[in-house]
Amino acid sequence: MKRREEYVKKRFNKEKLLQGNEAVVEGALYAGCRFFAGYPITPATEISEVMSQRLPAVDGTFIQMEDEIASMGAVIGASLAGAKSMTATSGPGFSLMQENIGYACIAEVPCVVVNVMRGGPSTGLPTSPAQGDIMQARWGTHGDHPAIALCPSTIRECYELTIKAFNFSEKYRNPVILLLDEVVAHMREKITLGDDRIDIFNRVKPTVPPEWYIPYEDTPFGIPPMANFGEGYRYHVTGLTHDVRGFPTSRPDEIDPFIRRIFRKISQNFSDLQIGESFMTEDADVSVIAYGCVARSAKRAVIDARERGIKAGLLKINTIWPFMRIQVEKVLKTSHCVIVPEMNMGQISREVKRVNKGDAKVFTINKVDSTIITPTEIFNRIREVC
Amino acid sequence: MAGVTELIHKYLRHDKKFPHVWCPGCGIGIMLGALIRAIDQCGFAKDEIVLVAGIGCTGRLPVYVDFNTLHTTHGRALTFATGVKLANPKLKVIVVMGDGDAVAIGGNHFIHAARRNIDLTAIILNNSVYGMTGGQFSPTTPYGMRTTTTMFSNVEQAFKISELAVTAGAVFVARGSVYHAKMLDGLLEKAFMKNGFSVVEVVSHCHTQYGRLNRMGTAVEMMQWQKEHAITVEKAAGMADEELADKFKIGVLIDRELPVFQDEYDKVKARAKGISIP
């Protein structure tokens, strides 16, 4: 183990002081991202800036498009042509991207969308943190669609979850939303790059000859192999509901299996998508379920509570969608009270209440005044409820 | 004639459930024929062509042809095409749009793709109306015409797509019509061979929606109108503005050289590799 550490230090020696946005770029490049299209928007602009310098050096392409709609379109186009691609934005831009995110869902195009959450609605508070886009990440685009969304709370997680976001998008052929909040995006922490053991997943390509290739054929995993444009597999990609050949269809017997398959991609691989961390929840009377920057405050509050003899615990959820119901249910069963602090009017707490079958009392802390929820606020709430 | 039909069949997707969606007499089929003949003439392989389209009657075009085909969201065809081209510059990316697709909902993308001078060919079929949704006015519907949303006559001025493309910075702009099919073949060939953002506007007709409401007659009569109102660029050069008032120019409007995005970006890559960024 020691030798490995020495080797890593010698080989990589990449101890850096990075902010969340920069760590996202590092993660994306490590994962193999070679195309970025974006439009300047606070507080996500640093991702564009760093990408514009880093990508051309690794033979990738950065392009600043005319708006977020165009950025999302270019990202999908680039992914179809074989490049792992990404865009980054904040609330207003994320709203503009929604139509094309739906396109990526129906045409099953892997891509990563970073949304650095700011206060909303509308232009809202461009330089202040919030967590108001949780539900938009799930239901932002119209129609029934599968969704994957991840939310880091540390700089290291920004790096790792970006890599995982690319892996998930390539594996499940679905857009993956990375939800940062302004605090995590701009906070700086020490991070060691290179010392990572995360495998990179690349899209599965067809192995059959082109004339046998059925682009949207069901497989045991529900995920058909994906051919890139220009590789000899000429097929049709459309935003219309399509049959297994990719051609538009209006036959009920073709539509139903298709929609059910794209949902099955997620439900069948549910456990693979769960990323989270339990901290002292085993014997906890009061558990906090938190994500993003609030999870940091929550951890401090839990430690303070333990010091004062209160059995508190924390479940940090990194996978926002699909909702981590198995872990949450466990916490709801073992704790008397559950507190869900979040910087919105109650988006994840709704989900917690949905899966709570009377096992625990669910309390919320909702803060929408543009400031972060402090450890004291969570600690006081823990004392109140227990 | 048999030879031409055979050529077109070589490029059609026979496993697609024909018949196509277009009305009998529609100009889109003529444009598709010209597109196929031009691609064949230029000698592109099927695998290297990516045909991108938006939404609408014209947007339905790629599904019938045996290339890498991409049917995008409404108005965003050029943005998807930009991504495809930049991720794999070896591909020949052709974008087919209708007038509403290209200059209404996609107008911003259109002028920026031209300004950026990215190596794409945009073919815009201009039939002056939103055909698929039932004949509402589009940005190219002439002043005073009737559509289902301007039953008391259109009070807006029409966009001139080709002139817009010239101003926005496209390096090759041509206008043709579906009546002048032979000429259209040539214009498309030139556009495909041009390095940079090339635009071909194809003046067509929608006798089902636009023609019917404006009593312009059958498809044949509307094509007759195209014949009578088209003036070649060379001929128009010697004519006064008044004479050209109800005419449209066909032929190559501009053919110039400007730095192409991909070539410039290759230089950026070289610079980025030379300079070490901490």
Side-chain angles (χ1 to χ4, degrees), chain B residues 80-102:
Chain B
F80 282 67
T82 300
V84 171
K85 183 69 189 179
L86 294 182
N88 187 352
K90 285 180 206 134
L91 297 169
K92 177 71 200 166
V93 184
I94 300 166
V95 187
V96 188
M97 295 171 283
D99 46 295
D101 204 31

Side-chain angles (χ1 to χ4, degrees), chain A residues 40-332:
Chain A
I41 188 166
T42 307
T45 314
E46 291 86 359
I47 299 177
S48 282
E49 285 176 346
V50 182
M51 271 294 191
S52 75
Q53 294 169 31
R54 298 290 301 276
L55 269 178
V58 292
D59 269 323
T61 304
F62 165 87
I63 187 167
Q64 186 170 306
M65 296 299 283
E66 52 272 17
D67 55 31
E68 285 88 350
I69 303 172
S71 305
M72 194 60 215
V75 160
I76 295 170
S79 183
L80 285 166
K84 286 190 183 179
S85 43
M86 180 173 101
T87 184
T89 188
S90 183
F94 192 51
S95 297
L96 286 177
M97 285 175 184
Q98 290 300 339
E99 187 193 11
N100 282 341
I101 290 175
Y103 185 97
C105 290
I106 198 168
E108 298 176 69
V109 186
C111 54
V112 174
V113 180
V114 183
N115 174 19
V116 183
M117 293 183 282
R118 56 153 88 173
S122 189
T123 313
L125 296 151
T127 56
S128 301
Q131 296 178 322
D133 301 347
I134 299 297
M135 282 296 169
Q136 199 191 2
R138 179 65 193 91
W139 297 114
T141 191
H142 58 277
D144 266 332
H145 59 274
I148 306 173
L150 308 175
C151 179
S153 63
T154 66
I155 304 307
R156 180 75 202 173
E157 280 174 10
C158 284
Y159 177 74
E160 284 180 5
L161 290 184
T162 308
I163 300 170
K164 284 183 181 164
F166 273 98
N167 284 353
F168 288 156
S169 76
E170 292 282 317
K171 194 170 179 184
Y172 298 111
R173 291 188 64 179
N174 206 64
V176 175
I177 317 289
L178 196 63
L179 291 168
L180 271 67
D181 48 59
E182 192 271 340
V183 172
V184 173
H186 284 155
M187 176 175 62
R188 285 182 187 273
E189 275 183 315
K190 191 177 89 170
I191 174 171
T192 311
L193 298 175
D195 178 25
D196 32 48
R197 277 146 275 186
I198 308 170
D199 291 330
I200 303 298
F201 193 95
N202 295 318
R203 63 190 65 171
V204 177
K205 289 190 185 177
T207 48
V208 294
E211 57 274 23
W212 294 3
Y213 180 51
I214 301 170
Y216 294 97
E217 194 182 27
D218 201 354
T219 66
F221 298 105
I223 308 144
M226 181 178 174
N228 299 330
F229 280 167
E231 289 180 347
Y233 296 85
R234 296 185 300 275
Y235 69 107
H236 188 59
V237 179
T238 178
L240 286 163
T241 304
H242 40 265
D243 60 15
V244 289
R245 312 294 304 268
F247 296 132
T249 183
S250 46
R251 278 174 51 180
D253 64 328
E254 288 178 340
I255 299 165
D256 185 78
F258 168 67
I259 299 293
R260 286 184 193 280
R261 176 176 67 74
I262 59 173
F263 270 83
R264 212 181 73 227
K265 289 197 295 192
I266 307 299
S267 59
Q268 196 171 313
N269 302 291
F270 191 73
S271 56
D272 182 43
L273 290 158
Q274 307 296 293
I275 306 166
E277 198 181 307
S278 288
F279 177 70
M280 296 178 144
T281 51
E282 296 78 20
D283 62 337
D285 293 328
V286 189
S287 284
V288 183
I289 298 175
Y291 54 95
C293 65
V294 178
R296 309 286 291 264
S297 299
K299 193 167 184 179
R300 179 77 251 166
V302 165
I303 293 167
D304 287 350
R306 285 273 171 178
E307 278 172 9
R308 284 164 180 77
I310 304 168
K311 282 185 176 175
L314 167 69
L315 174 66
K316 179 171 76 181
I317 53 174
N318 288 125
T319 299
I320 301 290
W321 305 113
F323 186 63
M324 299 176 62
R325 63 176 305 156
I326 294 163
Q327 288 84 337
V328 171
E329 271 169 359
K330 208 171 136 194
V331 169
L332 286 164

Side-chain angles (χ1 to χ4, degrees), chain A residues 305-361:
Chain A
R306 285 273 171 178
E307 278 172 9
R308 284 164 180 77
I310 304 168
K311 282 185 176 175
L314 167 69
L315 174 66
K316 179 171 76 181
I317 53 174
N318 288 125
T319 299
I320 301 290
W321 305 113
F323 186 63
M324 299 176 62
R325 63 176 305 156
I326 294 163
Q327 288 84 337
V328 171
E329 271 169 359
K330 208 171 136 194
V331 169
L332 286 164
K333 280 204 170 67
T334 53
S335 311
H336 301 302
C337 302
V338 165
I339 301 171
V340 188
E342 47 185 343
M343 291 162 72
N344 56 47
M345 291 303 285
Q347 298 192 15
I348 281 294
S349 62
R350 262 171 172 262
E351 289 298 304
V352 175
K353 285 171 187 166
R354 181 173 66 84
V355 299
N356 180 25
K357 296 186 188 74
D359 295 322
K361 284 183 191 159

Side-chain angles (χ1 to χ4, degrees), chain B:
Chain B
M1 195 62 203
V4 176
T5 315
E6 206 176 295
L7 170 74
I8 286 177
H9 275 271
K10 199 175 112 189
Y11 289 93
L12 292 183
R13 270 183 179 141
H14 293 281
D15 52 355
K16 171 74 194 97
K17 302 146 197 160
F18 273 91
H20 53 68
V21 295
W22 303 309
C23 309
C26 182
I28 299 174
I30 300 171
M31 183 185 75
L32 178 57
L35 178 93
I36 289 172
R37 288 190 294 273
I39 286 173
D40 189 74
Q41 200 58 238
C42 292
F44 293 117
K46 282 182 184 178
D47 279 334
E48 60 178 328
I49 299 276
V50 180
L51 194 60
V52 188
I55 297 292
C57 291
T58 316
R60 287 299 185 103
L61 183 144
V63 73
Y64 306 112
V65 276
D66 188 20
F67 302 122
N68 302 290
T69 53
L70 178 55
H71 182 212
T72 69
T73 45
H74 193 23
R76 320 299 172 202
L78 280 168
T79 68
F80 282 67
T82 300
V84 171
K85 183 69 189 179
L86 294 182
N88 187 352
K90 285 180 206 134
L91 297 169
K92 177 71 200 166
V93 184
I94 300 166
V95 187
V96 188
M97 295 171 283
D99 46 295
D101 204 31
V103 292
I105 188 166
N108 199 27
H109 309 308
F110 180 62
I111 55 172
H112 283 280
R115 176 187 63 80
R116 206 171 271 139
N117 196 20
I118 199 147
D119 184 25
L120 303 170
T121 300
I123 305 169
I124 300 163
L125 185 119
N126 181 0
N127 60 4
S128 310
V129 80
Y130 286 93
M132 186 163 268
T133 46
Q136 297 76 30
F137 81 100
S138 86
T140 55
T141 305
Y143 177 83
M145 301 307 274
R146 276 182 90 201
T147 68
T148 56
T149 45
T150 55
M151 288 305 263
F152 305 109
S153 105
N154 180 23
V155 294
E156 296 179 16
Q157 297 297 324
F159 251 143
K160 288 178 179 161
I161 297 174
S162 295
E163 283 75 4
L164 177 68
V166 171
T167 315
V171 286
F172 179 91
V173 181
R175 190 192 277 119
S177 87
V178 291
Y179 175 83
H180 305 85
K182 194 83 188 157
M183 180 189 187
L184 189 58
D185 291 7
L187 294 176
L188 289 174
E189 267 175 51
K190 279 184 198 156
F192 293 158
M193 298 314 287
K194 183 79 187 177
N195 186 22
F197 190 72
S198 52
V199 178
V200 179
E201 180 188 353
V202 183
V203 176
S204 184
H205 52 274
C206 179
H207 54 290
T208 310
Q209 313 287 4
Y210 184 72
R212 191 160 49 90
L213 274 175
N214 291 293
R215 295 168 201 269
M216 293 171 86
T218 61
V220 176
E221 285 167 276
M222 289 185 81
M223 286 177 80
Q224 191 71 28
W225 181 92
Q226 289 166 23
K227 183 192 175 188
E228 286 157 9
H229 291 76
I231 298 280
T232 60
V233 174
E234 295 76 29
K235 217 172 167 184
M239 288 167 74
D241 285 355
E242 300 85 66
E243 286 178 285
L244 289 169
D246 65 337
K247 303 279 194 290
F248 61 91
K249 289 188 232 173
I250 55 168
V252 179
L253 298 178
I254 202 157
D255 189 352
R256 60 186 164 189
E257 299 299 327
L258 286 169
V260 180
F261 183 90
Q262 285 92 323
D263 303 340
E264 294 302 306
Y265 201 76
D266 283 342
K267 291 180 200 165
V268 170
K269 283 181 185 173
R271 276 181 224 132
K273 283 171 195 163
I275 302 162
S276 66
I277 294 155

